[in-house]
Amino acid sequence: MPAAPSAPVRSTPSSLKRPPAAERVYTHIKEAVLDRRYEGGTLLTEGGLADAVGVSRTPVREALLRLEVEGLIKLYPKKGALVLAVSAQEIKDVVETRLLVEEFAARKAVPASPQLIERLEQLLEEQRQLAEAGDLAAVAVKDRCFHAEIVKYAGNEILSRLYDQLRDRQLRMGVAVMEAHPGRVEANVTEHGELLDAIRAGDAELAAQVVRRHVGRVRVLVRGEDR
């Protein structure tokens, strides 16, 4: 008799492959740095991180080396890793780069497609809901997604890749601003609404002006020059 066909193997939660240990440590540290659970000036130890993630020290070292290359931490042999604070120069560099890319993209977004308008409306509503829930890290992510959608629509691949390189710094600065200035959460939503209105109205210059005012406030607020 022919053998009966074997039943298909079904994946169970326990059989799903977990990410490599070093990747889990990397994700844990990076997320904590970006949403400021690990603030600038915090000294992280290999043993503490190994315990927090539930791994040995070897993958911790691998993850820390990767994060040092990205400029988020500084390694000190036999001491640990220092979470680097956002410097005034970094703020200046990020804001200047954002202005170059985002003003250009805001102009190029006009005239906007119905799909872009619909996507921006969706992101704005999601940001508004997250702001009401008080989830600052998620608000910062959605904030950046709103701007990134406009940059992507501009259709310049080189500028899009450049903008993607700013992601981590943008998220970290965004959370810092909202923690220090709670009123900025609502202001961001309002200013995004103004940008959307300008794009929807087909006013390229007004859209660029809104971006210039909106992004320029980041440098002032992160440096504590305005309360």
Side-chain angles (χ1 to χ4, degrees):
M1 283 182 67
S6 58
V9 177
R10 295 183 180 179
S11 296
T12 62
S14 61
S15 67
L16 295 176
K17 189 174 181 180
R18 299 180 70 191
E23 189 67 31
R24 299 203 305 274
V25 178
Y26 170 84
T27 300
H28 168 81
I29 301 171
K30 187 164 187 174
E31 289 180 351
V33 170
L34 295 184
D35 65 22
R36 289 169 59 83
R37 282 179 286 125
Y38 292 158
E39 295 188 15
T42 302
L43 184 65
L44 307 174
T45 64
E46 289 184 3
L49 292 169
D51 290 342
V53 185
V55 297
S56 68
R57 295 193 180 199
T58 300
V60 171
R61 295 188 194 103
E62 184 179 332
L64 290 175
L65 286 169
R66 193 172 157 195
L67 289 161
E68 184 177 43
V69 171
E70 294 181 10
L72 293 178
I73 64 168
K74 174 68 176 175
L75 290 175
Y76 290 93
K78 299 182 180 179
K79 291 184 179 179
L82 183 70
V83 178
L84 296 177
V86 179
S87 69
Q89 184 63 47
E90 182 179 3
I91 295 165
K92 177 176 179 293
D93 292 348
V94 169
V95 170
E96 287 180 351
T97 307
R98 284 191 63 186
L99 287 172
L100 285 170
V101 175
E102 292 186 34
E103 283 191 53
F104 168 83
R107 289 188 177 94
K108 290 281 285 185
V110 175
S113 68
Q115 292 79 12
L116 176 63
I117 297 298
E118 182 179 358
R119 177 60 176 153
L120 294 178
E121 289 173 343
Q122 176 189 354
L123 289 168
L124 183 59
E125 179 56 30
E126 290 172 356
Q127 186 183 4
R128 186 177 289 114
Q129 292 174 5
L130 291 167
E132 290 174 357
D135 190 341
L136 298 187
V139 170
V141 171
K142 203 63 64 175
D143 182 312
R144 190 196 178 277
C145 287
F146 184 91
H147 291 283
E149 199 69 30
I150 298 171
V151 172
K152 183 172 67 174
Y153 185 77
N156 187 310
E157 295 276 342
I158 295 174
L159 285 182
S160 291
R161 286 197 295 270
L162 173 62
Y163 194 73
D164 285 343
Q165 292 174 16
L166 300 177
R167 177 185 180 277
D168 293 346
R169 291 178 171 85
Q170 281 181 257
L171 294 179
R172 197 175 178 200
M173 291 178 190
V175 175
V177 166
M178 290 184 287
E179 284 183 347
H181 307 275
R184 193 61 202 162
V185 180
E186 184 177 348
N188 276 349
V189 173
T190 299
E191 289 168 13
H192 284 178
E194 293 171 356
L195 178 54
L196 175 55
D197 288 343
I199 292 173
R200 189 189 286 117
D203 193 330
E205 286 308 310
L206 178 57
Q209 288 175 22
V210 173
V211 167
R212 193 178 310 121
R213 183 177 70 249
H214 174 66
V215 176
R217 294 287 291 168
V218 175
R219 182 191 305 177
V220 174
L221 292 170
V222 174
R223 292 176 61 178
E225 297 171 0
D226 185 302
R227 296 289 175 184

